[in-house]
Every structure is written in structure tokens, then in C-alpha cells.
Amino acid sequence: MNTNSKEPAFSPPLPIDRFLESKEQVFIYDDLRQFEHFLYTYLSNRNLLDGPIGLQLSSSNELVFLIAACWRLGIPFIAFDAATTPDKLSKQLKRTKAAALISDKKLGSLQAETHVIPSDTFSLTKILEPDFTPNKSIKRRKEEVQSNQDRIWGYFFTSGTTGSPKIVPLKRRQMLFAAKASAQNLQPDRNSLWLLCMSLHHIGGITVIIRSLLYGTGIYRLHRFESSSVTQLFFENPRLQAASLVPTMLKRLLDRSEFTAPDYFKAILLGGGPVSESLIDCCFERGIP
């Protein structure tokens, strides 16, 4: 990482570096590059590159690829809860002025008022084929994105605990400085993995993806959080060096007497709610960074 410039800069990953791993599959950064070219061409042909693009999908490798590609191509997106009803979704789409919605849901009459793109359009099985032809315009697009870090990269809804949920736009520069702050305490090694077991319509889960892109590291995606699966993964996968959790997840892990952190694990990034001193003390006693 370049620490001399005012704006944080990170070294790009190599094409052969590991990008995404799940129980079933492993993808490298060259797979992401191929997916980006497909997404860029598809949206460019439909004048949708300026977005914002709505994403309403269940947790999947395709959703990780979509979020990652949108970030690298400078396409602003809005991640909607997969369980949002069509009526509520219709109102949210109007508020955010989404140009299109990529969804794996049955949306009924909503499809008549919104540009809906079926999620299977971006099936990795279909896209990651040997006869890949690069889109020559994509290089200029990426250069434009890098030269303007004031671009909005995503729109997020607040929890709405004190009223109606508000829409919060985030600029790329904000994410760069957040990643720099995390890197002062934690920056996984190349080809290592950051555990992703959080929702991908909340900022906590999404920033696992963005941080990994910036650090040039990989992501290990679990479909959902299960304390037994996470405990097993900590010991079985020596590439796993970091995890993002909320306090309730960490407490459930600590309730398991066999849960601890192996030597190769660097740290848990904890947030999304109040963190008690007793929780931190328990981690300290159990040797969990």
C-alpha cells in the first residue's frame, strides 16, 4: 500500500490470485476480469452504465461477482434485502431512482414499471467460458473511475429505528480511507481469505468484498452464519486470516468451548452493534485477536 500520497492507494491483485472461494468452487481474479467485461458490455449496450443498478438476490457467488464488478467499473449500486416485498421494493426503487434491477425473485406487476434483469443473465457457468473476447472500452472506463474517487459507489438504507429508513450515498474515497484504517491493524496476505458470512444487503457484508478487492486478497463465502461451520472452517482452512462479524455472531462462537483462533489467523473485524467489555475480555482470555 502506498502511504505517501494523500489518497490511499493499494496494489492490484494478480490475475492468478484467489478471488472467491466457497464450499463448492474456487475463482481467481482473472475470472472476475472476464465477468467485468460481460457486465460492462451488457449494461453499455442498454445505456445503463451510469446506474444506479438495484441488486435483489439471495446470497450467491454471482452476487459477490456483481458487487465486485460494479465497484471496479464505477457502477453505483443499491443492495436490496432479498426478502423485500414487491410493494416495498417498488417504493425503494422510486426513491433511489434505480435505472434497473437485477433480481432472482418473482416480482409480478413490478416488472411492468421497472427494467428488471433476471439474475440468471449473469450465471457464472454461462459467462466464464473459454471463448472470452475482451471489450476494449473497459480500460478507459477503469482509468476514468480511478481518476475520480468522489464518485458514488453505493446507496444504502439505514435501519429505520428512529423513523423511515434514510438513503445514504457513499463515495469511493470514503471506502478507501476506511480500508486504509483497517489495514493499519489488519491486512491479510495475498492469496489469503476473509470470511464472508454476513448479509450482502448490509454495508458490513459488502465491505468484506470491497476490502478484499483493495487488499488483493480473497473471500471465503458461507451461505449463512452457523457457529459450527465457522468453527470448523477456522481450523480446516489455513488460508483464512480474517473475518467480519457482529457481536451476536462472535458471542455464539465463544459459547462453543472448542472455538479458538489458530496461529495463522490475524483478526476479527467486529462492528454493527454495541461491543461489551466482557466480550472483549473473553476474546483476550481465549487468544482470539
Side-chain angles (χ1 to χ4, degrees):
M1 185 179 71
N2 180 3
T3 56
N4 295 322
S5 62
K6 293 182 180 179
E7 194 168 272
F10 301 87
S11 300
L14 297 174
I16 60 171
D17 285 343
R18 194 164 297 212
F19 165 59
L20 176 62
E21 184 175 330
S22 62
K23 189 174 181 181
E24 303 83 15
Q25 294 171 295
V26 175
F27 300 96
I28 59 175
Y29 272 92
D30 199 54
D31 295 324
L32 176 59
R33 181 181 71 94
Q34 186 167 339
F35 184 91
E36 287 170 4
H37 282 268
F38 180 91
L39 180 65
Y40 177 87
T41 302
Y42 184 93
L43 296 181
S44 178
N45 289 343
R46 292 158 180 80
N47 296 315
L48 294 172
L49 279 177
D50 292 333
I53 302 297
L55 304 175
Q56 193 202 25
L57 302 92
S58 302
S59 177
S60 63
N61 291 336
E62 279 81 2
L63 181 53
V64 174
F65 268 79
L66 281 165
I67 290 170
C70 282
W71 166 268
R72 300 221 304 184
L73 294 172
I75 302 168
F77 65 88
I78 314 138
F80 295 105
D81 187 343
T84 302
T85 63
D87 287 344
K88 183 177 179 181
L89 181 61
S90 175
K91 295 175 183 177
Q92 291 180 337
L93 287 166
K94 289 175 182 175
R95 287 182 63 195
T96 55
K97 300 179 180 178
L101 174 70
I102 301 172
S103 178
D104 59 4
K105 311 301 173 189
K106 294 181 179 179
L107 299 175
S109 59
L110 180 59
Q111 294 197 205
E113 60 186 71
T114 304
H115 187 153
V116 177
I117 305 170
S119 61
D120 60 9
T121 303
F122 304 100
S123 165
L124 295 176
T125 304
K126 295 177 184 177
I127 294 172
L128 303 181
E129 296 180 345
D131 59 347
F132 167 57
T133 303
N135 187 313
K136 295 180 180 179
S137 303
I138 201 169
K139 182 179 179 181
R140 185 168 62 253
R141 171 78 181 193
K142 287 190 171 184
E143 289 172 349
E144 291 171 357
V145 170
Q146 291 302 317
S147 66
N148 181 11
Q149 298 295 1
D150 278 325
R151 300 169 73 109
I152 301 296
W153 67 273
Y155 296 84
F156 300 88
F157 287 93
T158 61
S159 60
T161 52
T162 58
S164 299
K166 297 178 177 61
I167 301 169
V168 180
L170 293 181
K171 294 182 178 181
R172 295 178 68 86
R173 181 173 282 110
Q174 291 171 283
M175 189 63 231
L176 292 176
F177 276 98
K180 178 185 177 182
S182 296
Q184 291 174 355
N185 297 306
L186 165 64
Q187 185 168 353
D189 301 322
R190 287 297 178 91
N191 270 320
S192 66
L193 300 169
W194 193 307
L195 176 63
L196 171 58
C197 58
M198 300 174 73
S199 167
L200 285 176
H201 70 274
H202 284 156
I203 189 71
I206 290 170
T207 54
V208 172
I209 300 172
I210 309 304
R211 281 189 175 90
S212 297
L213 294 174
L214 293 172
Y215 298 157
T217 55
I219 302 154
Y220 191 99
R221 185 186 73 84
L222 283 175
H223 186 66
R224 64 178 65 86
F225 173 82
E226 292 177 344
S227 59
S228 58
S229 299
V230 174
T231 300
Q232 185 178 4
L233 186 63
F234 263 54
F235 285 97
E236 289 186 350
N237 197 323
R239 292 181 183 272
L240 189 69
Q241 291 189 354
S244 288
L245 302 173
V246 297
T248 52
M249 289 177 174
L250 179 56
K251 186 178 184 305
R252 286 171 59 187
L253 288 172
L254 292 170
D255 286 342
R256 304 183 68 91
S257 58
E258 73 273 26
F259 176 74
T260 186
D263 292 340
Y264 52 78
F265 185 80
K266 289 192 172 184
I268 290 171
L269 182 62
L270 192 65
V275 181
S276 65
E277 287 187 23
S278 60
L279 191 64
I280 299 300
D281 290 343
C282 185
C283 287
F284 184 77
E285 292 168 3
R286 299 265 286 269
I288 298 167

